[in-house]
Amino acid sequence: MKKILIVNGPNLNLLGTRETAIYGELTLADIENNCQKLGQELKLEIEFLQSNYEGQLVDWIQQARNDADGIIINPAAYTHTSIAILDALKAYDGLVAEVHLSDIKQRESFRHHSYVSLRADKVICGLGAEGYEVAMRYMAEQLGSL
Ligand code: DQA
């Protein structure tokens, strides 16, 4: 079975309680449940992770080199700052989809630039939690898992 790593960055552990007008009412556990269910349907094994630490995110991306056919990443605030995460993704040969719950291009100007988009094969913004599902369907199509 093809394997997808879903990596979430800082403060996404607070989803459901954090700025709900922007990020929605679902918790990260709700989003993981939805992704695991869809994974069964799409015949994708899903590993779903979150960290508030940049180095931890880099370590997981490096480990995916030997372990995962694709990475779905919501780097959260590190999107806009982290050359380290960009470099780790550049060292990864599989598919990369970048997901943001909100539409970063319609928000403050400091959110408009994404380092991760320089490597991402697909970028999905502004669809809320559904963005993760769109990214999974993209992976399934590209990897021919169905
Ligand atoms: C986010 C957008 C980022 O600008 C922000 O720092 C986040 C979440 C999103 O999913 O919309 O923490 O990545």
Side-chain angles (χ1 to χ4, degrees):
M1 206 193 282
K2 302 285 186 188
K3 179 170 173 183
I4 305 299
L5 186 66
I6 304 184
V7 184
N8 295 282
N11 299 306
L12 293 173
N13 54 314
L14 299 180
L15 285 181
T17 60
R18 168 199 186 204
E19 298 184 275
T20 51
I22 297 174
Y23 297 119
E25 304 279 346
L26 293 189
T27 66
L28 196 62
D30 294 331
I31 294 176
E32 174 170 10
N33 279 339
N34 292 344
C35 289
Q36 294 291 0
K37 276 188 206 141
L38 184 61
Q40 288 177 6
E41 200 183 298
L42 298 176
K43 302 193 174 30
L44 293 172
E45 181 187 344
I46 301 298
E47 187 175 359
F48 194 97
L49 302 168
Q50 187 274 333
S51 177
N52 292 327
Y53 300 93
E54 186 176 18
Q56 177 65 81
L57 299 168
V58 168
D59 282 349
W60 284 335
I61 294 164
Q62 287 187 8
Q63 284 158 21
R65 280 153 58 93
N66 305 314
D67 191 43
D69 300 288
I71 297 176
I72 296 173
I73 184 163
N74 182 348
Y78 290 136
T79 307
H80 319 296
T81 62
S82 181
I83 298 169
I85 290 175
L86 170 63
D87 283 350
L89 289 169
K90 281 185 158 179
Y92 174 73
D93 285 337
L95 280 175
V96 175
E98 175 184 356
V99 171
H100 300 283
L101 299 155
S102 63
D103 186 352
I104 55 176
K105 303 289 183 202
Q106 303 299 323
R107 298 182 61 195
E108 305 97 318
S109 58
F110 62 82
R111 295 185 203 275
H112 292 183
H113 179 259
S114 164
Y115 283 104
V116 170
S117 292
L118 299 172
R119 163 63 180 90
D121 300 295
K122 186 159 184 76
V123 181
I124 298 151
C125 289
L127 298 183
E130 212 184 307
Y132 288 80
E133 300 186 21
V134 172
M136 285 179 63
R137 290 185 194 282
Y138 165 77
M139 294 272 161
E141 253 172 50
Q142 297 291 313
L143 295 170
S145 75
L146 282 174

